[in-house]
Amino acid sequence: MVVTWIKNLKKSLSKSSSVIGEGIKKIIKSRKIDDSTLEELENHLISSDIGIVFSEEIITEIKNKKYLDTSVEAVKKIILNSIIKVLKPLEKEVLIGKINTHPFIILVVGVNGVGKTATVGKLAYKFSSQGKKVGIVAADTFRAAAVEQLEIWSKRTNSTFFSSKIENADPASLSYSSYLKAKEQKIDILIIDTAGRLHNKSNLMDQLTKIIRVLKKINASAPDEVILVLDGNTGQNSIKQASVFKEICDINSLIISKLDGTAKGGAVIPIGKTLKIPIIGLGVGEQKEDLVKFEADEFARALLDIN
Ligand SMILES: Nc1nc2c(ncn2[C@@H]2O[C@H](COP(=O)(O)OP(=O)(O)OP(=O)(O)O)[C@@H](O)[C@H]2O)c(=O)[nH]1
Ligand SMILES: [Mg+2]
């Protein structure tokens, strides 16, 4: 199982890793490391989306080693260790079993199109394959298509589906009634999918605030997890999105989606370094299995194409 997700991650990040890894190889190989080589390396790192500040730090680190070992492997190892140092403290697992709230409530938030609904589906699959009883709530009541999309995920993942029969129903009252029903039905984990776009930003934020407020009427510590989904391809913009959401809810985890099929895997580093919010998973495709656990070591190795 472990081997499978590592393979998955490597395959998904193969575009990024070949761009980053090959570039390093080309720059370093058969040249002595001097200032101009380092400048070229720094430019390459910056263009690999790992962030300007971090690229500078890596170059300083290489300089500090006084160019003792100038092989491609040695340079990659320095970069590897620098990435691990940034990302290791951000590893996180959702500890459902250890928390005594029934059901465990997960609220999934993010701007439109980042992959919230797919992430809800992938999480539902992950937990139901662990033998948990999972419920998912279609609190994106703004669009009928969003409700249908989540219903498909509920069938695919064998989870109980909670939705409103009324068009444009109030997402907060739906969340509230779903929470009570889930309690009655002894559901272990209830995952709430939310809207990414409303008429305007303040409507969206008011709606989230209201959902959280009504959940707290049932249990003051709810929701147990607020997961912000970010699209790995949106770079700096992700950081702006996070600060908007942080103003109104206690985001306690990130999932970074769509890391497959693009060369933007490096973007996880500036996101992690700037936001310092724990990362629980990476989205690497559109299927139910395509959520991999976030492990700093494996991620950094996959990114740099190191075995
Ligand atoms: N390749 C790839 N596609 C993804 C991933 N996650 C989501 N998608 C796709 O991205 C598109 C948008 O995903 P949704 O889950 O609908 O995004 P959303 O945030 O719920 O969007 P709204 O409800 O409109 O706010 C869909 O076509 C998904 O299948 C991923 O990790 N990799
Ligand atoms: Mg959605």
Side-chain angles (χ1 to χ4, degrees):
M1 189 71 185
V2 174
V3 176
T4 314
W5 78 255
I6 292 173
K7 247 203 231 149
N8 249 352
L9 183 61
K10 281 209 159 147
K11 208 171 96 218
S12 311
L13 290 177
S14 65
K15 280 201 181 140
S16 302
S17 66
S18 59
V19 170
I20 301 178
E22 285 300 315
I24 298 171
K25 219 193 261 167
K26 246 193 234 154
I27 294 165
I28 307 290
K29 217 169 179 182
S30 63
R31 273 169 70 178
K32 69 176 197 308
I33 299 191
D34 55 16
D35 284 349
S36 93
T37 319
L38 285 180
E39 200 183 322
E40 209 180 310
L41 183 62
E42 184 174 347
N43 292 341
H44 171 61
L45 293 174
I46 294 171
S47 68
S48 315
D49 296 304
I50 71 173
I52 296 175
V53 179
F54 186 57
S55 301
E56 283 169 359
E57 285 170 14
I58 289 175
I59 298 301
T60 310
E61 184 78 22
I62 298 174
K63 280 184 180 164
N64 287 344
K65 300 269 186 222
K66 310 243 182 315
Y67 318 138
L68 282 177
D69 183 352
T70 58
S71 63
V72 175
E73 286 68 32
V75 171
K76 272 194 180 179
K77 193 80 193 280
I78 294 173
I79 303 174
L80 176 79
N81 289 337
S82 307
I83 297 178
I84 293 174
K85 206 157 103 196
V86 171
L87 296 181
K88 191 86 189 162
L90 302 177
E91 286 177 351
K92 176 178 174 183
E93 224 170 317
V94 181
L95 296 173
I96 310 281
K98 299 224 163 123
I99 299 173
N100 240 348
T101 55
H102 261 90
F104 186 91
I105 306 279
I106 301 178
L107 186 66
V108 176
V109 304
V111 303
N112 64 297
V114 287
K116 292 178 297 299
T117 304
T119 299
V120 169
K122 293 174 199 174
L123 286 169
Y125 174 70
K126 173 183 151 93
F127 296 128
S128 62
S129 11
Q130 291 168 357
K132 303 271 193 259
K133 204 169 163 192
V134 181
I136 54 183
V137 185
D140 179 358
T141 57
F142 194 58
R143 295 176 300 123
V147 179
E148 285 160 24
Q149 188 192 357
L150 197 71
E151 189 169 18
I152 295 170
W153 275 108
S154 80
K155 289 183 180 136
R156 219 181 261 165
T157 60
N158 208 9
S159 32
T160 308
F161 183 58
F162 295 93
S163 69
S164 173
K165 302 277 170 288
I166 312 158
E167 215 175 302
N168 282 331
D170 176 12
S173 60
L174 171 66
S175 302
Y176 183 83
S177 61
S178 305
Y179 191 169
L180 291 178
K181 278 187 207 148
K183 253 180 181 316
E184 269 171 32
Q185 296 175 26
K186 303 230 176 320
I187 280 177
D188 298 310
I189 303 162
L190 189 68
I191 313 173
I192 305 174
D193 186 26
T194 63
R197 187 187 352 228
L198 293 179
H199 300 295
N200 61 48
K201 197 177 90 187
S202 79
N203 277 356
L204 176 65
M205 294 304 157
D206 289 349
Q207 186 171 95
L208 283 180
T209 313
K210 197 169 157 203
I211 293 177
I212 294 170
R213 197 171 64 232
V214 300
L215 293 173
K216 284 191 188 303
K217 284 182 199 271
I218 304 174
N219 180 349
S221 67
D224 300 283
E225 276 285 343
V226 181
I227 300 176
L228 175 68
V229 181
L230 296 174
D231 176 336
N233 296 298
T234 51
Q236 265 316 102
N237 202 15
S238 297
I239 292 160
K240 282 195 207 121
Q241 289 166 21
S243 61
V244 173
F245 281 93
K246 265 166 85 176
E247 271 172 39
I248 57 130
C249 41
D250 275 329
I251 307 286
N252 41 18
S253 302
L254 293 182
I255 287 182
I256 303 169
S257 68
K258 308 193 191 182
L259 290 174
D260 53 306
T262 73
K264 298 267 186 189
V268 170
I269 300 161
I271 291 176
K273 193 169 161 67
T274 315
L275 297 176
K276 296 196 169 56
I277 302 171
I279 304 171
I280 51 174
L282 306 175
V284 294
E286 298 182 86
Q287 307 302 315
K288 59 184 191 296
E289 306 86 3
D290 293 334
L291 179 71
V292 300
K293 192 163 113 187
F294 177 69
E295 280 196 359
D297 274 56
E298 294 310 332
F299 173 76
R301 281 175 193 280
L303 197 62
L304 294 170
D305 196 19
I306 298 177
N307 285 316

